[in-house]
Structure formats: structure tokens, C-alpha cells
Amino acid sequence: MRNNTKKKIAPIVVAVLVVAYVGPLVALMAYAAGLLGAQPEARAALPFLLLYLVAGGAVIIGVVAAMRQRLREIDGGEEDEARKY
């Protein structure tokens, strides 16, 4: 197996940047949902915060899954096969 370290850098960097950007937003939504959950007059905003919380979590999970898949493709040499076409 060849050394594919340089090819692995870009997917890892992009995944880290996306998680670093979306992670604090998800944490902020979770914090705000926790604060608003205790106040009966603010319950109208709670579903929207939870929707953003779930969407942000899905983005993080999707990016990490795509990164893992891409790293497996690089290890398997599939990127070289695509260059033939």
C-alpha cells in the first residue's frame, strides 16, 4: 500500500473546519433550548431551536461519515481508477 498521507489531508481539514463551525452553533442551540425550556412564555421558539439542533447534528454526522468513506477510498486506491476515465 502506498503512502497516501498527502491525499488524506484535504478531507480531514475540511471535516475539521465544518465541525469547528457547526459544533458551536449546535452547542448554542442546545444551550438556548435548555434555557427556554424552563420559561413557559418562550415555548414557541423551542421547536425551532430543536430543529436547528437536529439539523446541525445531522450535518456533523454526515460530514464525518463522508470523510471516513473518502479515507477508505484513498486507502483502497479508488482515486487512481477514476483518473483513467
Side-chain angles (χ1 to χ4, degrees):
M1 191 175 294
R2 290 168 283 171
N3 186 0
N4 294 322
T5 306
K6 287 185 180 181
K7 293 179 182 179
K8 291 181 179 182
I9 291 173
I12 293 171
V13 168
V14 170
V16 167
L17 289 175
V18 170
V19 171
Y21 180 74
V22 176
L25 296 175
V26 170
L28 180 64
M29 292 302 141
Y31 178 71
L35 287 179
L36 294 179
Q39 301 174 359
E41 63 274 358
R43 290 192 192 250
L46 195 58
F48 295 107
L49 291 175
L50 294 176
L51 177 69
Y52 285 123
L53 180 70
V54 170
V59 167
I60 290 174
I61 291 170
V63 166
V64 171
M67 180 196 64
R68 290 183 64 207
Q69 180 182 2
R70 180 66 184 135
L71 292 177
R72 277 192 232 122
E73 288 175 359
I74 291 171
D75 285 337
E78 293 180 23
E79 79 282 351
D80 293 332
E81 292 175 12
R83 290 183 185 174
K84 294 179 187 176
Y85 302 105

